[in-house]
Amino acid sequence: MASHWEEFYSTHLPPTDFEDNRKLLKEFCERHNKAGQRVVLITSGGTTVPLEHNTVRFVDNFSAGTRGAASAEYFLEHGYAVIFLHRLKSLEPFTRHFTGQKFMDMLELHERGPSTTITVKPDCVDIVAPILARYKAAQEAGRILYVTFTTVSDYFWLLRASCECLAQFETKALLYLAAAVSDFYIPSSELPTHKIQSGAGAPTISLQLVPKLLAPLVSLWVPHAYVVSFKLETDESILITKARDSMNKYKHKLVIGNILQTRRNRVVFVTPENNYEIVLTREQLLSGMEIEDTIVSNIIESHTEFIAQHKY
Ligand code: PMT
């Protein structure tokens, strides 16, 4: 009998640009594997759950993609090749520093006759230049691949395709699963084709459980990779137990627990051996420090040890 996750793939179509993305993933992975490079797959942002095939309405979640986008920059700094699998229109590495009006406010417009030039305000150059330099370096070296999803079904297809390409890296592959993937969805076969009409009264929406992908991911798709997942809770009293349960159940290397309201300044690392916290003080936050810097450094240390232990 097909498992719950296999059934999902057989009853949900891949996204329309799936084959293009698969090709890009394959080329990216082959190139970096040949070069002996380490690679990280970062998942980032929330998934949507459509309520109609021609989707007007959907269920969504809070995730902005800050964790994933910031972490991508730190992994690049440490020399990793990065697959950034993220929710369309969620935050991206580098551009995340210039969202909203911030970017416009950093520019100056000079109109002299028919010629127009745009420059960065002198007092903003020190902010823009280092970020632009890191962005250009990553682009020119082809060390980051951007792949986008919107729905939970897109995410499923792209996660599996990414893993299929990552398997060749064996222990040199790191999976950093920071996306907030929906736990509930409406199967494709139960979705109405067209926009739900209000004339028939308020609809009753019945959601089903999304299959747990972490099981095949660890045991079948990338059995030699270093897999790090995240656990988000709103109730502190269950955070560590839930994170440890998840680690034991799916047999991955590390679960990082965080609480919705404090996720920018506190996380708990739950490993097979122990738990420990990373906390940023108010002063550190105000000075511009990001918790992802420390999270990524600690993970890379463990990944390095893991690679060394599994050399034969
Ligand atoms: O994006 P931000 O606003 O910066 O917020 C970051 C974050 C809070 C979303 C992030 O730090 C985080 O905690 N992400 C995981 C949220 C969560 O609780 O996931 P989960 O318990 O539903 O899933 C556990 C793990 O399995 C996660 O790593 C998830 O990415 C992964 N998963 C879950 C289900 C599924 N079908 N596929 C998966 O890969």
Side-chain angles (χ1 to χ4, degrees), residues 43-246:
T43 67
S44 183
T47 58
T48 67
V49 174
L51 301 186
E52 301 119 346
H53 277 294
N54 289 290
T55 309
V56 174
R57 305 184 186 93
F58 50 83
V59 178
D60 202 350
N61 67 50
F62 71 96
S63 171
T66 311
R67 173 87 79 226
S71 303
E73 291 180 26
Y74 294 110
F75 276 112
L76 285 166
E77 240 170 64
H78 286 274
Y80 278 65
V82 174
I83 298 172
F84 188 62
L85 177 56
H86 65 290
R87 162 77 178 275
L88 186 69
K89 295 188 191 148
S90 66
L91 291 178
E92 294 180 8
F94 307 114
T95 56
R96 73 187 173 102
H97 299 280
F98 309 108
T99 53
Q101 292 171 345
K102 236 193 235 170
F103 182 63
M104 290 299 191
D105 289 341
M106 289 181 170
L107 301 180
E108 266 171 349
L109 191 63
H110 314 271
E111 288 176 304
R112 274 188 216 97
S115 79
T116 301
T117 52
I118 296 166
T119 56
V120 174
K121 281 184 186 162
D123 58 341
C124 296
V125 170
D126 286 351
I127 304 169
V128 179
I131 299 168
L132 186 62
R134 287 187 288 120
Y135 167 78
K136 294 270 184 210
Q139 289 296 114
E140 280 157 22
R143 272 207 295 122
I144 181 160
L145 177 67
Y146 296 83
V147 181
T148 59
F149 59 81
T150 300
T151 66
V152 67
S153 168
D154 299 348
Y155 174 83
F156 264 51
W157 279 96
L158 291 164
L159 181 68
R160 187 171 69 171
S162 304
C163 288
E164 280 165 4
C165 296
L166 286 171
Q168 61 189 303
F169 288 84
E170 301 199 332
T171 57
K172 280 191 184 155
L174 173 60
L175 276 75
Y176 184 87
L177 305 173
V181 184
S182 175
D183 282 329
F184 314 106
Y185 79 125
I186 306 175
S188 178
S189 57
E190 294 181 22
L191 285 180
T193 304
H194 295 293
K195 181 184 166 195
I196 300 171
Q197 296 297 316
S198 58
T204 303
I205 292 165
S206 161
L207 299 166
Q208 297 190 13
L209 272 179
V210 160
K212 296 286 178 198
L213 275 199
L214 284 179
L217 183 144
V218 177
S219 64
L220 298 177
W221 301 343
V222 279
H224 304 295
Y226 192 82
V227 180
V228 178
S229 74
F230 282 80
K231 178 54 71 184
L232 175 84
E233 292 297 341
T234 55
D235 176 355
E236 179 71 50
S237 70
I238 60 169
L239 180 65
I240 292 181
T241 318
K242 293 285 298 245
R244 189 158 290 289
D245 286 352
S246 173

